Amino acid sequence: MNHTTSCNTGASGSVGSTGATRAANSVSASGLGRVKARWLRRPIDAFWRGVDALTPRTRLANALFLVIAVPAGVLLHHLESQGRAVLPGLPRALPMSIYDDVVLAVALYLAGALVLCIPVAGLICRFVLLRDIREINAFCLALREGRQPRPLSLPNEQEDEHDLLRLKRNLEWMAHLVASRERHLMARLEATDSRARHMEELAVRDALTGLFNRRHFERRLAELAADARLRPPFHLMLVDCDRFKAVNDTHGHAAGDELLRLLGDVIAEAVRAGTDTPCRIGGDEFGILFACPDENSVRAVAERIRHRFSQCQNHGCTLSIGIARYRQQGEGRADAACQLAPVTDAGNAACAGEGAPLAVQAMVARADGAVYAVKRRGGDGIAVR
């Protein structure tokens, strides 16, 4: 009984060792196969990298050489080395004239193949491959330069298409997506620019009258003063509404706001849009900058504003208007006028440019002094200083 058990145990141990040996052999064989595959893959990859570096014309020329010229060269070499008994199916001894004709024909064929191999490869590439490649290249170049490319020539789509045709279809879809996203982006940019312009317009506009506000008045005044050396002198008109406080006290602030809106509309209609700058400086005080050197024209506008305002409201309000021309610092008595005449809040506007602040304050002071001169006479008038 023990002997049998030991025999079985020995047999099973022998089978186990045999299985382990086979497993080890299979593992070593698979590892050796992987090493061989890796060793073969390197030269194959190097070969295809070299092929990819060649132009399509060179690849096709090499292929034609291998298919056409190499067999002819091998046959010619065989004919020259083995004599007349190399052509299968023919008698072993050919007449010398026929043999020489065969050799000459093969040699001419080989020479023609060598000479025409590259030109024929170029023609085949042009009609088979390069035409499509040039079309694709022009398509991609137009996309790169931001132009609308010409549509590629494509047949009806089928299930089994070659890679070049699939590439064309993919490029068409890419161009369509680029154009669609560009249109979407342009729409977003236009909306953003519109909002930015609207916000910029709100930043320089008076909410009640729609005229420019004090900030824009000061900035435009500084610009005109900075350019005054190169351009004709400009004029400033200050407008003050007489008896406005009485309207507010008697009829309320709503009536006062309506009166200011009415005055703003009258001023906006009387000036030149885009050339003159009508502004609400504060309260019932308005200022207009005229890029005009003619004092009579400015006075005519002031008269028109005064007349229209008196006709379009029934509160008995009138306008006191003062006009002043810009003078360079040191011209006439600009500095003295700045020191002697009263300066309102509008006169505190800063001006960019060397030597400009005193001249600007002098002009504002003269216009403000003209307004007060009209008020001292009872209002409803125009004064020029």
Side-chain angles (χ1 to χ4, degrees):
M1 183 70 181
N2 294 335
H3 176 70
T4 304
T5 304
S6 62
C7 289
N8 291 337
T9 304
S12 62
S14 175
V15 171
S17 61
T18 303
T21 302
R22 290 178 179 177
N25 292 336
S26 63
V27 170
S28 61
S30 62
L32 183 60
R34 284 196 297 269
V35 171
K36 290 181 178 179
R38 191 181 302 112
W39 181 82
L40 290 174
R41 191 181 300 114
R42 290 179 181 177
I44 292 175
D45 293 342
F47 170 76
W48 286 116
R49 282 196 300 269
V51 171
D52 292 337
L54 300 176
T55 62
R57 181 177 178 180
T58 305
R59 297 180 199 172
L60 187 56
N62 291 333
L64 291 176
F65 177 78
L66 293 175
V67 173
I68 298 175
V70 170
V74 172
L75 178 60
L76 182 62
H77 175 72
H78 229 34
L79 286 173
E80 291 291 340
S81 61
Q82 299 296 330
R84 291 175 290 173
V86 296
L87 296 177
L90 295 177
R92 296 188 60 84
L94 292 174
M96 185 59 67
S97 60
I98 297 177
Y99 175 78
D100 292 338
D101 291 341
V102 172
V103 173
L104 180 60
V106 175
L108 290 176
Y109 173 79
L110 179 60
L114 292 176
V115 172
L116 298 177
C117 187
I118 295 179
V120 170
L123 290 175
I124 295 175
C125 282
R126 181 179 180 84
F127 289 103
V128 176
L129 185 61
L130 292 183
R131 181 180 177 184
D132 293 329
I133 291 179
R134 288 195 181 100
E135 186 180 9
I136 293 174
N137 188 32
F139 187 89
C140 295
L141 183 61
L143 285 178
R144 177 182 177 183
E145 294 176 352
R147 296 183 286 107
Q148 180 66 27
R150 294 180 56 186
L152 297 173
S153 56
L154 293 172
N156 294 331
E157 188 173 2
Q158 299 177 359
E159 293 184 0
D160 189 13
E161 293 182 340
H162 56 82
D163 293 337
L164 194 58
L165 197 56
R166 291 179 181 175
L167 175 61
K168 286 186 176 182
R169 294 194 189 278
N170 291 334
L171 287 175
E172 283 283 358
W173 274 108
M174 183 182 70
H176 174 72
L177 291 177
V178 169
S180 176
R181 293 181 180 180
E182 183 179 3
R183 288 192 297 268
H184 178 69
L185 180 60
M186 290 301 296
R188 294 287 298 274
L189 288 176
E190 290 178 0
T192 303
D193 291 342
S194 178
R195 287 195 297 269
R197 288 192 298 268
H198 179 65
M199 296 302 296
E200 183 178 358
E201 188 73 11
L202 291 178
V204 298
R205 290 286 180 179
D206 178 62
L208 180 62
T209 63
L211 302 180
F212 292 107
N213 57 17
R214 168 72 176 272
R215 178 187 302 174
H216 187 74
F217 173 79
E218 294 178 354
R219 184 170 62 186
R220 182 59 179 161
L221 186 61
E223 292 174 356
L224 290 174
D227 296 339
R229 296 180 180 179
L230 304 177
R231 296 181 179 180
F234 62 96
H235 285 79
L236 168 65
M237 178 191 299
L238 294 181
V239 180
D240 189 272
C241 184
D242 302 326
R243 291 182 289 277
F244 175 75
K245 185 176 184 301
V247 174
N248 261 344
D249 295 340
T250 304
H251 302 283
H253 290 283
D257 291 344
E258 184 63 29
L259 187 64
L260 292 178
R261 276 193 292 266
L262 180 62
L263 179 55
D265 293 339
V266 170
I267 292 176
E269 292 175 359
V271 300
R272 298 168 298 175
T275 303
D276 304 327
T277 309
C279 308
R280 183 190 177 198
I281 299 176
D284 60 335
E285 297 176 350
F286 293 79
I288 308 172
L289 295 170
F290 293 90
C292 174
D294 187 12
E295 182 179 305
N296 293 328
S297 299
V298 177
R299 188 181 183 95
V301 174
E303 191 65 41
R304 187 161 59 247
I305 292 173
R306 188 182 68 85
H307 180 69
R308 289 182 181 178
F309 181 71
S310 64
Q311 289 183 338
C312 64
Q313 47 86 27
N314 54 6
H315 294 292
C317 294
T318 58
L319 298 178
S320 297
I321 301 176
I323 300 173
R325 183 178 68 89
Y326 179 79
R327 299 170 184 171
Q328 293 287 347
Q329 185 175 355
E331 179 184 352
R333 291 182 297 174
D335 297 342
C338 179
Q339 296 174 2
L340 296 177
V343 180
T344 62
D345 292 339
N348 295 327
C351 179
E354 184 179 357
L358 280 180
V360 168
Q361 291 182 20
M363 180 183 64
V364 174
R366 284 186 283 110
D368 195 62
V371 170
Y372 277 89
V374 174
K375 283 185 174 296
R376 283 193 295 268
R377 296 196 300 263
D380 192 19
I382 300 172
V384 180
R385 286 192 178 183

